[in-house]
Amino acid sequence: MCGIVGYIGERDAAQILLPSLKRLEYRGYDSAGLAVINGGGLSVRKSQGKIARLEMDLRQVPVVGHVGIAHTRWATHGVPSDRNAHPHVDCSGRLAVVHNGIIENHRALRAQLAASGHRLVSETDTEILAHLIEQKLNGNLEGAVAGALREVRGACAVAVVDQDFPDRLVAARVGGSPLIVGVADGEYILASDIPALLHLTRDVLVLEDGEIATLTRGGVEIRRLDGARVQRAVEQVTWSAEAAEKAGYPHFMLKEIEEQPAAVAATLQGRINPDTGLVDLADLGLTPDELRRVRRIVLVACGTSWHAALVGKFLLEEWTDIPCEVDIASEFRYRHLLVNDRTLIIPISQSGETADTLAALREARQRKVRVLSICNVVGSSVARESDAVLYTRAGIEIGVASTKAFTAQLAALYILGIHLGLTLDRLSISHAKDLTSHLQQVPEAFARNFLYLGRGIHFPVALEGALKLKEISYIHAEGYPAGEMKHGPIALIDETMPVVVLTPLGRTYEKVLSNVEETRARRGQVIAIASDGDRELEGKVSHVLHLPYISEYVAPILETVPLQLLAYHIAVLRECDVDQPRNLAKSVTVE
């Protein structure tokens, strides 16, 4: 969840680290800090709060040097404070560490270190790494880092500098938290996510689990923790530096809401044959024969991606006749799993680094189950470790509250469902053509304490709308299946309760109208999301937003947008921090 940046080169390290760190502030913004090696030793600056406060401190008392590390924190162990901010140093103050992850056995290690005479001054699990490295240091910084990491359990992405080794920066990844090395002309930058690199370079090396990298001005050397040398080619990131900027919008969230037509169009591009009108996923990575063996599908995801998975369940069951279930990734591996070689696991993750989703994927792979992931980031851990990948093409999403990633995931699930239905001979060609025709209309059809109600395939959209309002405006909201309203939520309804109801034309329309009448009878304020041309709602609701009519199967993509905009504008009116809501971070890379 935290953001890590490191730099080695000929330029002033602080001038590179701070702008790069700002591009990672969506990963955590409880506190920030940096450590730079200069001619006089190691200089450390850190402070509670956002990076702007650290930047102000550095203007008053600058640090100068050509090697450094920096960190923006999302608190796990220890409250946000100057003392708990990273970097953390060893007893001598010559060595500094930044860390993303959780060290599960930190209490036992802390006790051992204290008994050995080490002075630990913070409440964090990270600080023990600095002292473990100090304890093992014997003229070899890389060896000491590797030795320390062999003693810890949990997820670790770390960067280390030591004033006695002023020509290097050491980084390591163990247990899932991502690290990327940007390769530029005579300089190298380390980061925990791609946006931090793009203004400097698009050439990258991605560290894999169990690897340690040494960055010097002469290059990058990667080894396994056991010392074995790793050869890895430089990859080029396709995203542009401009994609990580606001481009004149007041917030990233609004920019990303308005990028949704392009994100959906890109996800569909090249995957619907213009001549036949049918889905073409010839490069999916699983053969038709492998797909025909499937007798059960399990979608695994967290948060917003879980809501996309709930929509996917409706589609896949209807179009394939295969039983499909949806698991919250954090629960998946903690129950008795009934899976076999005829089960297909579908993890969904925007970043491809979500810790719980990645752990669920690895559990499935250990059981020899086929894994087909839906992911936005090429080369991410989820993508690399899956048998097959269906990439969304949403581009960079900076806003913590996910928007275009959700609608791109829905688009990917639609084409996957159609592909599976055709492959298994459960979906007629004429029905498939009708569905793809409606899907291709979507990019042009986008329009610009609560209760959210929806029936059937629209229920997950109600959940997602309620989540967005909670995330960015701090107003309590709940999403419910409309049919469940009488089983509890109706007790909440009075003249002070806004009720958002999804009322598109389709199979459940008449039943949802009954819910509207029940809400109205209790003086609830109804905000309806309806189809163009629907006149039944006139006089029955307080407000209505009309959307272009489209197949009820495809409607969830369009319905999402007004719910996102409703949450956005309410949050702005309440003067909330839309892009960096309290207590949240973009990618949950720790359990």
Side-chain angles (χ1 to χ4, degrees), residues 269-287:
Q269 187 176 14
R271 290 164 167 170
I272 297 176
N273 188 308
D275 298 323
T276 65
L278 298 177
V279 170
D280 181 2
L281 294 180
D283 60 347
L284 184 63
L286 292 177
T287 67

Side-chain angles (χ1 to χ4, degrees), residues 228-447:
R229 193 83 173 266
V230 174
Q231 298 293 335
R232 181 155 303 133
V234 171
E235 303 174 46
Q236 188 167 77
V237 177
T238 57
W239 295 338
S240 67
E242 291 73 23
E245 304 296 336
K246 287 183 183 175
Y249 286 87
H251 300 98
F252 278 110
M253 184 180 179
L254 183 60
K255 172 177 179 272
E256 289 156 9
I257 287 173
E258 297 201 8
E259 286 174 343
Q260 287 178 114
V264 170
T267 300
L268 299 177
Q269 187 176 14
R271 290 164 167 170
I272 297 176
N273 188 308
D275 298 323
T276 65
L278 298 177
V279 170
D280 181 2
L281 294 180
D283 60 347
L284 184 63
L286 292 177
T287 67
D289 285 343
E290 287 174 313
L291 293 175
R292 290 187 188 104
R293 284 182 49 79
V294 174
R295 292 294 177 268
R296 181 162 160 261
I297 298 172
V298 182
L299 295 118
V300 182
C302 299
T304 286
S305 297
W306 182 70
H307 295 156
L310 290 173
V311 175
K313 171 183 167 66
F314 280 93
L315 305 176
L316 292 169
E317 288 189 333
E318 177 135 353
W319 297 342
T320 69
D321 284 337
I322 293 175
C324 181
E325 63 187 79
V326 180
D327 254 329
I328 294 175
S330 58
E331 300 295 322
F332 180 77
R333 55 195 179 115
Y334 295 111
R335 62 182 179 82
H336 182 58
L337 293 177
L338 300 175
V339 296
N340 57 37
D341 62 356
R342 307 201 82 169
T343 305
L344 178 65
I345 304 292
I346 304 179
I348 306 177
S349 170
Q350 186 280 137
S351 67
E353 303 292 348
T354 309
D356 291 314
T357 306
L358 190 53
L361 183 159
R362 289 169 175 164
E363 184 72 23
R365 292 300 304 270
Q366 283 183 2
R367 294 167 181 265
K368 311 298 182 188
V369 180
R370 291 286 186 188
V371 175
L372 190 171
S373 65
I374 294 175
C375 181
N376 191 45
V377 180
V378 177
S380 61
S381 296
V382 164
R384 289 199 313 273
E385 297 184 32
S386 298
D387 296 297
V389 187
L390 179 57
Y391 284 110
T392 55
R393 298 163 180 161
I396 296 174
E397 189 178 65
I398 301 293
V400 170
S402 184
T403 53
K404 63 178 178 172
F406 177 71
T407 45
Q409 287 169 352
L410 292 183
L413 283 162
Y414 283 115
I415 56 177
L416 176 61
I418 295 168
H419 177 71
L420 284 171
L422 290 170
T423 301
L424 300 172
D425 296 323
R426 301 290 200 279
L427 188 65
S428 70
I429 289 176
S430 61
H431 191 186
K433 286 183 175 180
D434 182 61
L435 290 167
T436 58
S437 173
H438 280 271
L439 266 178
Q440 289 173 299
Q441 295 171 36
V442 166
E444 297 301 321
F446 275 91

Side-chain angles (χ1 to χ4, degrees), residues 16 25 54 84 103 161 172 197 200 239-240 260 296 309 381 395 465 543 549:
I16 302 295
E25 198 163 23
L54 174 67
N84 289 330
I103 299 170
V161 290
L197 309 171
L200 297 172
W239 295 338
S240 67
Q260 287 178 114
R296 181 162 160 261
S381 296
H543 306 279
Y549 174 74

Side-chain angles (χ1 to χ4, degrees), residues 441-494:
Q441 295 171 36
V442 166
E444 297 301 321
F446 275 91
R448 299 188 53 151
N449 225 354
F450 273 68
L451 189 61
Y452 289 69
L453 300 177
R455 278 184 181 262
I457 198 172
H458 310 287
F459 164 53
V461 180
L463 286 175
E464 176 62 11
L467 176 63
K468 284 295 155 283
L469 192 65
K470 283 185 283 194
E471 283 181 324
I472 65 170
S473 73
Y474 319 138
I475 294 174
H476 181 258
E478 292 295 338
Y480 272 94
E484 284 294 297
M485 190 177 80
K486 292 187 287 292
H487 298 279
I490 197 167
L492 300 172
I493 296 173
D494 60 19

